């Protein structure tokens, strides 16, 4: 499975209340986005992954903000189907390789991209996309490193996503704009479904 080809957008979500996890995943799925990245930024993140994996079988739920080998182990236990990291350390890349799960290791510089490609990792997260150089940076990478494809994330929204998606070395983009904190808190899943539908139509 290529994580970059499942959907034009990977929703990056922060879940504070585990009770929101299943309806949130169902709303994204109903809007046409089957992939959901639950960030390990809240105490209930792995419980949320577990619930979505158990109750929304058509969703492909993974973990984001994976930073340590312990994080990897917790995500595997929770039933995550993929892993995403903001950056990559030697220990983390070993743990992600050992997990047997597909993953997008984070990179932001040419040397980081090359080091990962050297390990055979040709699909990476480009983070923080806008701050690290955005569309012109990725365009410049495509010349010397045409064999690495990215999921840029960080500062991307409906306004600039199309420019990223038009690049030959971008498979999909990631972002938190589909799941605004106020919509989650209010249980406004209709709004989330609508945002997902608009994002699914981006490509
Ligand atoms: C991530 O973890 O990938 C980013 O925090 C998401 O970035 P965004 O909030 O700017 O979309």
């Amino acid at each position: 499975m290529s994580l970059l080809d499942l959907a034009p957008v990977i929703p990056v979500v922060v879940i504070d209340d585990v009770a929101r996890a299943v309806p949130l995943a169902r709303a994204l799925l109903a809007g046409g986005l089957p992939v959901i990245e639950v960030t390990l930024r809240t105490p209930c993140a792995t419980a949320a992954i577990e619930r979505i994996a158990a109750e929304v079988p058509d969703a492909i739920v993974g973990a984001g903000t994976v930073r340590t080998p312990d994080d990897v182990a917790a995500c595997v236990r929770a039933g995550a189907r993929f892993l995403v990291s903001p950056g990559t350390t030697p220990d983390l890349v070993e743990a992600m390789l050992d997990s047997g799960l597909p993953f997008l290791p984070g990179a932001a510089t040419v040397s980081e991209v090359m080091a990962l490609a050297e390990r055979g990792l040709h699909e990476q997260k480009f983070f923080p996309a806008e701050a690290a150089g955005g569309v012109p940076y990725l365009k410049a990478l495509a010349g010397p490193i045409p064999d690495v494809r990215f999921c840029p994330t960080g500062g991307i929204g409906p306004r600039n996503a199309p420019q990223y998606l038009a690049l030959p070395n971008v498979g999909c983009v990631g972002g938190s704009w589909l799941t605004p904190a106020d919509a989650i808190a209010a249980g406004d899943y209709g709004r989330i479904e609508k945002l997902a539908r608009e994002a699914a139509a981006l490509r």
Side-chain angles (χ1 to χ4, degrees):
M1 155 170 104
S2 168
L3 289 171
L4 299 184
D5 297 324
L6 296 171
V9 181
I10 297 181
V12 175
V13 309
V14 176
I15 299 179
D16 287 301
D17 174 0
V18 73
R20 306 284 185 197
V22 165
L24 183 63
R26 287 198 177 121
L28 291 168
L29 191 61
L33 294 180
V35 190
I36 171 168
E37 175 188 327
V38 178
T39 57
L40 301 185
R41 294 182 202 175
T42 57
C44 71
T46 52
I49 291 169
E50 224 171 286
R51 289 244 187 130
I52 296 168
E55 295 180 41
V56 196
D58 289 340
I60 299 167
V61 61
T65 323
V66 175
R67 291 172 50 195
T68 67
D70 284 349
D71 288 344
V72 173
C75 295
V76 169
R77 277 197 302 275
R81 290 177 58 190
F82 65 89
L83 306 170
V84 183
S85 66
T88 314
T89 70
D91 284 354
L92 180 59
V93 81
E94 286 313 319
M96 291 199 290
L97 284 165
D98 286 349
S99 76
L101 292 174
F103 63 98
L104 294 173
T109 69
V110 178
S111 298
E112 289 167 7
V113 169
M114 286 171 60
L116 290 168
E118 214 170 71
R119 303 292 314 260
L121 300 166
H122 294 270
E123 298 193 341
Q124 303 173 15
K125 163 166 164 159
F126 177 59
F127 177 81
E130 282 288 283
V135 167
Y137 193 99
L138 284 169
K139 240 184 217 169
L141 278 185
I145 313 175
D147 55 338
V148 175
R149 287 200 310 149
F150 299 94
C151 171
T153 308
I156 300 180
R159 186 185 44 79
N160 55 359
Q163 284 101 283
Y164 281 95
L165 290 168
L167 299 176
N169 56 350
V170 167
C172 64
V173 301
S176 61
W177 85 86
L178 306 142
T179 52
D182 59 336
I184 300 177
D188 189 353
Y189 303 113
R191 181 170 157 213
I192 291 169
E193 182 179 332
K194 182 171 175 283
L195 287 165
R197 185 163 294 116
E198 286 160 7
L202 276 173
R203 192 163 48 200

